[in-house]
Amino acid sequence: MIEKLMCLSTAPLNVHCGSGQALAGATSARSGLDAALRDALLEARRLDGVAEVRLLPRDRRAGRDVPKAFVVLATHDLERDQRVVNILSQMLEIDYDLVPAESAGMIPDGARRV
Amino acid sequence: MVPAESEAGVRGDVQRYLEGAASNLGFADWLKSTGRDDPTTVGWAITAAFYAAVHAVRAYLLARHGVRVGAHTDMPGLQAQHPELNNTARDYNMLKQESQSARYYLNQRFTWADFDKLRAKAARVQATWRPKTEQALQPPPGSPESPGSGR
């Protein structure tokens, strides 16, 4: 049920071209993300079974504030997870977590959908 | 190769890291051997496998570069600073993320089959860095401690 709701709630993002570009612009304007980071988040978002990506603009890490992404996973797939990790680990300027959809309520309230 | 300053301390800490890597992997295997298949047990086995990787990498960084890692959050920067770490970065980062997912988000989807895959990653990390760590601990040629020096 959760998975179905997640898919419904993120359906527009599954249309990769037009809505993805509009989303990218909106995300960049809101958060000031650079293009590479924005693209990485969107690439992760498009992977099968990724329900959504939420971004907390600033999260204290090692004494400095960095954005933190929460990748919400509708399905369980280690190979997909590895792809998410490979994409986002290249982005040194953010931290990120993999969150099963049933635990999405644990994500801080300040995190907004990418 | 080991920094001259506090060499005995460095060697001792490196040895403890190596032992920690091996014992965490052993602990992970023991958890599996208990026959329990509840999410907490599987999650902690995955976490122990991650710590096997943590200690293996920390042993190498200390022995080879004299770097003491203060926090998990230091690792992305260290992976960029020491490019050889890219040999195992994908495995390491995957273990970190999945163990966090188990611990902090109480991910109950993990199975022992998942553990087996993640354990293999931890074993690769350990197998990559242990020999390089031991090599870094060898005294430089010509030093009084080196083999064949007559001491």
Side-chain angles (χ1 to χ4, degrees), chain A residues 73 76 81-82 97 102-103, chain B residues 73 98 105 109 114 121:
Chain A
L73 307 171
H76 184 58
D81 290 358
Q82 181 76 70
D97 284 351
E102 57 271 23
S103 299
Chain B
T73 50
E98 299 294 24
Y105 297 101
R109 301 169 175 176
D114 296 327
K121 294 177 186 294

Side-chain angles (χ1 to χ4, degrees), chain B residues 89-108:
Chain B
R90 290 185 172 199
D91 287 339
Y92 184 98
N93 295 333
M94 178 71 167
L95 285 160
K96 176 176 182 283
Q97 289 300 326
E98 299 294 24
S99 69
Q100 284 186 174
S101 187
R103 279 175 290 145
Y104 296 125
Y105 297 101
L106 303 173
N107 190 337
Q108 307 210 337

